Amino acid sequence: MSLLSRLSKGVGLFLLGTLAGQIACAAPAERVVSVGGSVTEIVYALGEGHRLVARDSTSSYPAEAEALPNIGYARALSPEGVLSVSPDLIIASAGAGPVETLDVLKQADIAYAEVPEVYSPAGVITKIETVAAALGAEDKAKALLGDIAPDLETAHAEAQARAGEAPVRVLFVLSTQGGRIMAGGRNTAADGIIRLSGGINAIDAFEGYKPMTDEAVSATAPDVILAMDRGGDHGVAMEQLASLPALIPTPAAQNGRLVRMDGQSLLGFGPRTADTIRTLSEAFYEAHAK
Amino acid sequence: MRLAAEATTQNRGQAQGRSTGAPVDRRHQARRLTLALVALLLVTSVSSLTFGAAGTSVWSAIGNLIAGRELSQLDRIILFDIRLPRLCLGILVGAALAVSGAVMQGLFRNPLADPGIVGVSAGAGLAAITAIVLGSMLPVSLRDTLGNGLVPVAAFFGGWGSTLILYRTATRGGQTSVATMLLAGIALGALAGALSGILVYMADDNQLRDLTFWGMGSLAGATWTKVLAALPVIALALCAAPFLARGLNGLALGEAAAGHIGIPVQRVKNIAIMAVAGATGAAVAVSGGIGFIGIVVPHLLRLATGPDHHPLLPNAALLGATLLLAADMIARVIIAPAELPIGIVTAVLGAPVFLWILLKRRAGLGL
């Protein structure tokens, strides 16, 4: 297909509302770029992965996605890089940018759908609906949500039941650069997944991810420490984390309660979130189960 | 300070040594170099319009135009809205950084001087970080007026503001002490760095990532608006070059000697400082942090044509522009369709070259 005919097809696509990301499709987009790990996951879960021509650097799941050209980091996209894969539709997580790049893409009449990030079951459903609407795959979304929506509810309810009256306090550790702990506060994906899995975020004092002093970390006295699994030797990494001075005095380190999980399934809020809730809930309350 | 003192003796030695040599030969050599650099810049500019992540090339576009075919909308956008403003911005920023470096080194009589040292870049950076982190607190009406220009405008005024503070600190009774200014610049840079640190702590996750990328510099966000914003300031600074060349040559003899041979020392210093503040502020504002151009380019040229600022300043503009365009091409092609921040490329290319120059100079001067 020539560039011109592809473009003329693209002209048929109109972006109705960027926030809602609703698109009226004259013809379905053939060359789709997905930006954001969970957006890519959803495109594949909808069975529309074959329409993708490129993805951003945060899209590492499923494995097929990694074979696609990488257009770079979601917040620092270059306009020519995106245009070079001649997309007719871009589906991106909220916060993709910069604005200059988005302006050029709009000028090139490339349809753009923004997918909101809300860290709740309703947020997952909205994301799936938004991506499906952009792809014109509403029927497939209905089928997928038929499985996912009740599954999320069940997983959440089970986690709540398991937590009962005494929910565990969970500290999310994003990174430990130079021995300093960067922890997850309110309004983060980590906070959202901890709550859904029946835990309490040990940090209530601030929003977002922030570095904390050792004393402040110790004072949060978490029962469980949650971290991302960056691959490599599992056991050693766990020991390293538990031997940080700030964590040694915490109940979590004393009892060896460290939970690690692949970052994308942990914080992605996508099709796998129900499974994530189940795994985390089991890990949080394994002592009770025994 | 020992370095500064050594450098002063070196420069003086060179200036005197060369003036007794063969000035006519040097002038010819410099003129040949200028012509070569103009040609090189032209070649790099055309390449910069030819290579990129997208397959579009300026040649096929020209071919189409000659054949009377219309350009496709995509080609038009890639050539005229992405590559051409990027080319113009690269030339402006590269020239501004290299000339600022050359002027600073002349003014401080220190081959290690760079706009980074007198805190101009740090001040501009602090203002930019403030805009990124606290921009959302501004009244909506002001934010709407400035729009995407908020960060660049802030960086520009940050550069100017820090230069003004610096200048006030170092000037007593109409006399600017270059040594005080150098020291004050280091202090100001440290303060700006610390204040930036506080803001980094306040920043949320997304802002932190923006800060990281901004600090590495990029021409990817080039727009005609940015080109038009940077053009008058940088052009004005470059226009001061002929006057500065004579003044800086004189200053190489030391301030007192320069005064005796009729150089308006104070005026030269004033203009040099304004030019550097304007050019650096504007460059940082539109492209973020791009290092090593300002320090490497003047050194390379001094190796070729000696310390005379008459050929040095215009040649620095040409070579700075060429090198930045080349670095930008590498940045956008090497991992296409993704793109490297250009500051990484200039550092990877610039740092070894700088080291090589130091070693070479060291041997040549018997240090």
Side-chain angles (χ1 to χ4, degrees):
Chain A
M1 190 171 26
S2 84
L3 213 60
L4 260 173
S5 72
R6 231 183 266 144
L7 267 171
S8 59
K9 221 168 201 182
V11 174
L13 300 164
F14 290 101
L15 189 65
L16 280 187
T18 41
L19 251 182
Q22 283 171 334
I23 287 175
C25 285
E30 298 283 347
R31 299 181 60 83
V32 182
V33 172
S34 76
V35 178
S38 58
V39 173
T40 310
E41 263 193 75
I42 293 170
V43 174
Y44 278 100
L46 288 168
E48 300 290 335
H50 59 277
R51 284 158 74 181
L52 290 180
V53 291
R55 45 107 197 180
D56 75 317
S57 61
T58 64
S59 301
S60 52
Y61 183 92
E64 299 113 279
E66 292 198 79
L68 292 169
N70 176 357
I71 52 164
Y73 179 58
R75 295 184 68 81
L77 300 173
S78 95
E80 191 174 332
V82 178
L83 287 178
S84 73
V85 296
S86 20
D88 48 19
L89 168 66
I90 295 160
I91 311 178
S93 295
V99 203
E100 290 94 345
T101 300
L102 301 188
D103 285 346
V104 172
L105 297 176
K106 272 170 204 157
Q107 222 181 317
D109 284 336
I110 294 165
Y112 186 88
E114 185 177 289
V115 182
E117 284 287 346
V118 183
Y119 309 123
S120 68
V124 173
I125 293 166
T126 313
K127 269 171 147 180
I128 294 176
E129 283 170 347
T130 312
V131 173
L135 290 167
E138 286 90 346
D139 295 346
K140 287 181 175 174
K142 243 174 231 159
L144 184 65
L145 285 173
D147 296 334
I148 283 182
D151 198 28
L152 271 170
E153 249 170 65
T154 325
H156 186 198
E158 281 169 9
Q160 298 295 68
R162 205 177 260 160
E165 294 297 304
V168 290
R169 291 166 58 76
V170 183
L171 173 73
F172 176 72
V173 176
L174 180 71
S175 66
T176 57
Q177 213 150 34
R180 282 246 286 181
I181 287 176
M182 176 94 94
R186 282 178 280 117
N187 282 336
T188 57
D191 183 81
I193 199 73
I194 289 171
R195 276 188 286 117
L196 283 182
S197 312
I200 295 176
N201 189 352
I203 291 164
D204 192 39
F206 56 78
E207 279 194 22
Y209 301 95
K210 286 208 184 337
M212 288 178 79
T213 65
D214 287 1
E215 283 176 37
V217 173
S218 307
T220 60
D223 303 308
V224 176
I225 291 160
L226 179 62
M228 287 199 280
D229 188 357
R230 299 184 198 272
D233 194 325
H234 219 73
V236 174
M238 299 273 258
E239 271 166 37
Q240 275 174 352
L241 199 59
S243 65
L244 285 173
L247 294 177
I248 292 172
T250 63
Q254 302 273 325
N255 303 323
R257 303 287 305 279
L258 282 91
V259 181
R260 290 170 79 96
M261 192 188 258
D262 159 68
Q264 181 55 34
S265 49
L266 183 64
L267 305 177
F269 278 85
R272 290 181 290 163
T273 296
D275 294 338
T276 306
I277 294 174
R278 287 207 178 84
T279 315
L280 280 188
S281 159
E282 271 167 34
F284 288 174
Y285 297 102
E286 61 190 346
H288 296 259
K290 273 175 198 164
Chain B
M1 275 343 287
R2 228 186 96 222
L3 261 173
E6 272 175 15
T8 312
T9 10
Q10 277 170 30
N11 274 358
R12 247 180 245 166
Q14 281 174 5
Q16 285 161 358
R18 254 114 208 197
S19 60
T20 55
V24 180
D25 266 10
R26 275 225 175 270
R27 222 170 292 151
H28 276 303
Q29 207 180 327
R31 207 166 297 154
R32 272 207 304 275
L33 185 68
T34 307
L35 284 177
L37 286 175
V38 169
L40 199 61
L41 179 58
L42 283 176
V43 172
T44 324
S45 299
V46 175
S47 316
S48 155
L49 291 176
T50 307
F51 299 111
T56 312
S57 124
V58 67
W59 302 111
S60 67
I62 292 172
N64 275 339
L65 284 179
I66 290 172
R69 281 191 297 267
E70 267 203 28
L71 283 183
S72 77
Q73 188 203 15
L74 189 66
D75 284 353
R76 219 169 40 231
I77 287 175
I78 287 177
L79 285 177
F80 296 111
D81 294 320
I82 299 178
R83 287 193 198 160
L84 205 55
R86 201 169 170 154
L87 166 72
C88 297
L89 206 67
I91 291 176
L92 284 174
V93 170
L97 293 175
V99 171
S100 297
V103 170
M104 278 273 119
Q105 289 162 20
L107 184 67
F108 287 115
R109 280 162 278 153
N110 182 329
L112 293 179
D114 178 74
I117 284 191
V118 289
V120 180
S121 310
L126 172 62
I129 292 175
T130 311
I132 291 174
V133 178
L134 301 180
S136 56
M137 291 181 187
L138 283 176
V140 177
S141 55
L142 185 61
R143 239 188 307 158
D144 284 351
T145 321
L146 289 171
N148 306 338
L150 180 61
V151 173
V153 167
F156 182 69
F157 282 106
W160 274 99
S162 52
T163 312
L164 271 180
I165 296 174
L166 195 71
Y167 196 58
R168 287 272 161 80
T169 321
T171 308
R172 274 282 147 76
Q175 290 296 305
T176 308
S177 152
V178 166
T180 314
M181 196 164 147
L182 190 60
L183 290 175
I186 291 169
L188 209 65
L191 184 64
L195 292 177
S196 306
I198 295 175
L199 288 165
V200 164
Y201 191 86
M202 290 167 67
D204 69 29
D205 195 36
N206 284 337
Q207 291 167 340
L208 266 181
R209 293 182 224 182
D210 289 344
L211 292 182
T212 312
F213 278 96
W214 195 86
M216 289 189 278
S218 177
L219 294 177
T223 57
W224 285 117
T225 323
K226 284 188 184 176
V227 172
L228 290 178
L231 179 68
V233 187
I234 292 175
L236 204 66
L238 297 183
C239 286
F243 174 74
L244 284 176
R246 183 173 162 264
L248 292 175
N249 279 349
L251 273 179
L253 306 167
E255 285 189 26
H260 287 310
I261 59 168
I263 304 277
V265 175
Q266 192 55 35
R267 199 158 11 124
V268 170
K269 285 197 277 189
N270 284 347
I271 293 175
I273 289 163
M274 302 283 257
V276 168
T280 310
V284 171
V286 292
S287 66
I290 299 177
F292 282 100
I293 296 281
I295 202 151
V296 166
V297 168
H299 277 282
L300 281 175
L301 291 172
R302 265 191 233 106
L303 283 179
T305 54
D308 182 4
H309 286 86
H310 282 293
L312 182 64
L313 294 181
N315 284 352
L318 291 168
L319 186 60
T322 308
L323 284 185
L324 196 67
L325 286 181
D328 186 47
M329 271 192 285
I330 294 175
R332 67 194 193 194
V333 169
I334 199 163
I335 53 164
E339 192 172 306
L340 276 177
I342 194 171
I344 294 179
V345 181
T346 55
V348 166
L349 297 178
V353 173
F354 186 54
L355 204 60
W356 172 75
I357 293 170
L358 284 183
L359 289 173
K360 201 176 155 86
R361 278 183 72 116
R362 214 183 115 176
L365 296 160
L367 287 171

